[in-house]
Amino acid sequence: MVDLDQDPFYSNGTTDEISKKLLGMLLTYDSPKGLVGGRIVETEAYMGQKDSAAHAFKGRRTASNEPLYGPPGTVYIYSIHGRYLLDVAAQAKDVPQGILIRAIEPTIGLAVMEQNRTRHGVELTNGPGKLMEAFGIADKDMNMEIFGDSKLNIHQDDKKIPIQIEESNRIGVANQGTWATKPLRYFVKGNPYVSGIKKRDYDQKSHGWR
DNA sequence: ACACGGATATTCT
DNA sequence: GAATATCCGTGTA
């Protein structure tokens, strides 16, 4: 059994650094309808107690954000606006910093995801609630599980390299205090599955991968 | 009971 | 592109 607090990936670096490292990694879910997944193309870092936009701001701790306090690699699913969003705890146990996985470029189980979403093309997975709907996840049953031990997995060794990582402020936290404007959102420049990207900014050739 | 949010879809100028 | 309707679980009262 691995010592989770010593995890060589999640504990190695600050949460914003890890958010960038996740870009290009393969995210999979072993769903009841078959394996689904894709490349992570957009993430956001939430820096814990000090971060006015984070769920754990000022050490806030409730039943629903408890997974943030789990060991690195803990699955944190939470609901907002009637959707489910996927986070991963990024630091040692009791350090409540997390990374929101906002979009993926789908590569596995396209037919299943299209059925779950009743949409296709970029609309399949170009947003945090959309990718969870595509996966067919509509509950928080996997909370507190660890990526890799869970049916959810982030394959650290199966990774494409972005040509360029772009940064911006985080989405949907506009009036969440002084941290609202910090550049803690990261995405693969030119990838069509990044939320809100304009068609003219697509990298048609390589989707932003090296 | 009730207000609201780490979102999405639809409907307009 | 921007405005708006709707989503429903969660925190606070």
Side-chain angles (χ1 to χ4, degrees):
Chain A
M1 193 63 188
V2 277
D3 180 345
L4 293 164
D5 273 344
Q6 298 302 319
D7 183 283
F9 174 64
Y10 296 103
S11 295
N12 187 12
T14 58
T15 299
D16 52 324
E17 288 167 351
I18 297 167
S19 302
K20 288 183 257 191
K21 288 189 204 166
L22 285 176
L23 297 174
M25 284 184 189
L26 181 67
L27 169 70
T28 58
Y29 171 52
D30 186 9
S31 90
K33 296 181 186 171
L35 190 67
V36 292
R39 304 262 161 216
I40 298 171
V41 299
E42 179 179 350
T43 59
E44 284 178 0
Y46 286 87
M47 305 303 286
Q49 292 101 322
K50 62 186 175 188
D51 182 349
S52 59
H55 288 166
F57 182 46
K58 292 180 175 168
R60 182 169 165 275
R61 185 169 189 163
T62 65
S64 91
N65 76 0
E66 182 63 24
L68 279 175
Y69 291 81
T74 300
V75 173
Y76 172 36
I77 296 170
Y78 72 96
S79 61
I80 186 77
H81 294 286
R83 322 275 162 160
Y84 289 85
L85 276 58
L86 180 63
D87 282 47
V88 52
Q91 297 296 330
K93 186 166 156 40
D94 293 326
V95 180
Q97 302 189 5
I99 300 165
L100 170 62
I101 299 172
R102 286 191 52 88
I104 63 170
E105 176 173 348
T107 57
I108 301 169
L110 278 285
V112 171
M113 292 194 280
E114 283 168 1
Q115 186 192 353
N116 288 337
R117 276 281 291 154
T118 62
R119 255 156 236 267
H120 62 279
V122 298
E123 282 300 314
L124 205 51
T125 54
N126 66 346
K130 298 179 189 181
L131 80 88
M132 288 293 267
E133 186 172 68
F135 279 10
I137 300 173
D139 57 55
K140 311 202 305 182
D141 291 355
M142 288 184 287
N143 257 336
M144 298 305 295
E145 293 183 3
I146 306 293
F147 279 92
D149 295 344
S150 167
K151 288 182 176 176
L152 282 165
N153 197 354
I154 295 170
H155 304 256
Q156 295 166 31
D157 52 351
D158 189 341
K159 164 166 185 165
K160 279 199 174 191
I161 306 298
I163 294 171
Q164 193 181 334
I165 294 174
E166 195 101 33
E167 303 179 2
S168 81
N169 57 300
R170 292 168 295 183
I171 307 296
V173 297
N175 50 11
Q176 299 283 144
T178 55
W179 281 65
T181 53
K182 292 197 186 276
L184 292 169
R185 169 175 177 249
Y186 308 100
F187 56 95
V188 178
K189 185 180 183 182
N191 188 281
Y193 291 88
V194 170
S195 68
I197 190 179
K198 303 180 197 92
K199 262 191 179 172
R200 63 170 171 275
D201 292 332
Y202 287 7
D203 175 353
Q204 300 283 3
K205 219 175 215 175
S206 70
H207 285 191
W209 305 116
R210 193 184 297 172

